[in-house]
């Protein structure tokens, strides 16, 4: 197992930065856009088709307990997971943004026009590995680390120090073989939430995000939590 992995500089939940990063990884189609709300009216302004939705949210004790309960239930009851789904563990502190982008592009390689290059090579080299071994492979993927470092320094806010352990986290939602999956590098396996279609991916994932925000939106001290953001990867037309 990869021990004492060096922390990366956190990636900002910023569509411009994430699009630049995706381009550097070889995606030739699509871009990231902000999702400003979860109501039907706000979702309708997001250009379709949407290939992935990424939620940034705070990690709290309440969330950890929620994951433990949900994971235990899945282990007890079982779930179906597409053999074509790519999921990896996050073993590098502060690398959740890159893991979220890998999950989003890696499960939509053809639709995102993923060309030969560092990400496609990484996916090919790790496809038959376990999620944990994929996470260890990322620790050794120098080109991916360099691409991450280059864009992590950009954005609208000053990037935190690499020595700062960030307590917000990215998870990705993708559709694969007729089902909606949540891909979280902190968890041992993907979560099969429900049937979906490419057309309904955004709407179905938004419902789960709304529930997650409701769960975490108020801390145990009664203080409202505002550290949430949503971005979508779309191959539809985007106004400049």
């Amino acid at each position: 197992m990869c021990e004492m992995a060096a922390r990366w500089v956190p990636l900002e939940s910023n569509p411009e930065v994430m699009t630049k990063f995706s381009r550097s990884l070889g995606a030739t189609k699509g871009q990231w856009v902000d999702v400003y709300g979860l109501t039907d009216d706000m979702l309708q302004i997001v250009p379709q088709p949407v290939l992935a939705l990424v939620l940034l949210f705070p990690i709290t004790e309440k969330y950890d307990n929620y994951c433990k309960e949900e994971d235990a239930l899945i282990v007890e009851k079982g779930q179906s997971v597409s053999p074509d789904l790519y999921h990896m563990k996050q073993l590098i502190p502060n690398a959740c943004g890159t893991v979220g982008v890998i999950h989003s592009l890696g499960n939509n390689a053809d639709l995102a026009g993923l060309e030969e290059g560092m990400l496609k090579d990484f996916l090919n080299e790790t496809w038959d590995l376990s999620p944990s071994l994929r996470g260890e492979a990322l620790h050794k993927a120098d080109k991916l680390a360099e691409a991450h470092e280059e864009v992590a320094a950009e954005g609208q806010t000053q990037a935190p120090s690499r020595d700062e352990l960030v307590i917000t986290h990215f998870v990705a939602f993708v559709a694969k073989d007729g089902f909606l999956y949540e891909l979280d590098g902190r968890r041992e396996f993907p979560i099969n939430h429900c049937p979906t279609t490419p057309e309904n991916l955004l709407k179905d994932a938004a419902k789960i995000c709304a529930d997650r925000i409701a769960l975490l939106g108020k801390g145990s001290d009664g203080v409202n939590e505002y550290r949430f953001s949503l971005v979508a990867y779309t191959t539809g037309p985007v106004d400049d």
Side-chain angles (χ1 to χ4, degrees):
M1 180 177 178
C2 174
E3 296 182 357
M4 299 300 292
R7 290 178 180 146
W8 286 8
V9 176
L11 190 68
E12 183 176 298
S13 181
N14 177 303
E16 183 176 347
V17 169
M18 294 175 69
T19 296
K20 181 176 180 180
F21 184 39
S22 299
R23 290 282 183 272
S24 74
L25 298 182
T28 62
K29 301 177 183 177
Q31 66 187 80
W32 294 94
V33 297
D34 281 311
V35 178
Y36 293 108
L38 295 172
T39 63
D40 288 342
D41 288 345
M42 297 304 293
L43 294 177
Q44 286 175 3
I45 68 176
V46 179
Q48 291 281 0
V50 168
L51 305 185
L53 186 67
V54 167
L55 172 67
L56 177 72
F57 61 96
I59 298 173
T60 64
E61 182 179 0
K62 182 186 291 187
Y63 176 67
D64 284 340
N65 290 336
Y66 164 81
C67 289
K68 290 176 183 177
E69 293 174 3
E70 185 175 48
D71 290 354
L73 188 62
I74 290 172
V75 169
E76 177 185 348
K77 294 188 174 182
Q79 66 172 353
S80 62
V81 175
S82 168
D84 295 324
L85 187 73
Y86 187 92
H87 173 246
M88 66 183 295
K89 287 279 289 178
Q90 178 200 335
L91 302 180
I92 303 171
N94 296 344
C96 58
T98 288
V99 171
V101 172
I102 291 174
H103 280 150
S104 299
L105 298 180
N107 286 293
N108 292 286
D110 291 342
L111 294 174
L114 192 64
E115 292 184 331
E116 297 297 331
M118 67 180 87
L119 179 54
K120 199 161 192 180
D121 289 345
F122 179 81
L123 294 170
N124 289 336
E125 291 166 2
T126 61
W127 195 267
D128 293 327
L129 301 181
S130 68
S132 291
L133 289 178
R134 290 168 178 170
E136 290 188 24
L138 181 62
H139 179 58
K140 303 172 186 176
D142 292 339
K143 290 183 179 180
L144 286 173
E146 291 170 5
H148 169 101
E149 291 290 310
E150 182 177 341
V151 298
E154 303 181 14
Q156 297 176 342
T157 59
Q158 182 177 355
S161 164
R162 74 176 64 253
D163 296 323
E164 180 181 344
L165 186 59
V166 176
I167 60 171
T168 51
H169 185 59
F170 290 84
V171 298
F173 297 86
V174 302
K176 182 66 68 174
D177 296 335
F179 290 92
L180 174 66
Y181 291 94
E182 178 179 351
L183 303 172
D184 182 345
R186 296 178 76 240
R187 301 173 78 167
E188 297 296 328
F189 41 75
I191 310 300
N192 183 340
H193 279 289
C194 61
T196 194
T197 63
E199 296 78 15
N200 289 330
L201 164 64
L202 178 62
K203 180 180 69 174
D204 291 336
K207 292 177 182 176
I208 297 165
C209 292
D211 291 341
R212 185 73 46 81
I213 292 170
L215 173 70
L216 303 176
K218 189 178 292 289
S220 58
D221 55 3
V223 176
N224 288 333
E225 174 60 71
Y226 297 104
R227 290 172 295 175
F228 300 97
S229 68
L230 277 164
V231 289
Y233 195 81
T234 175
T235 54
V238 178
D239 294 333
D240 295 328

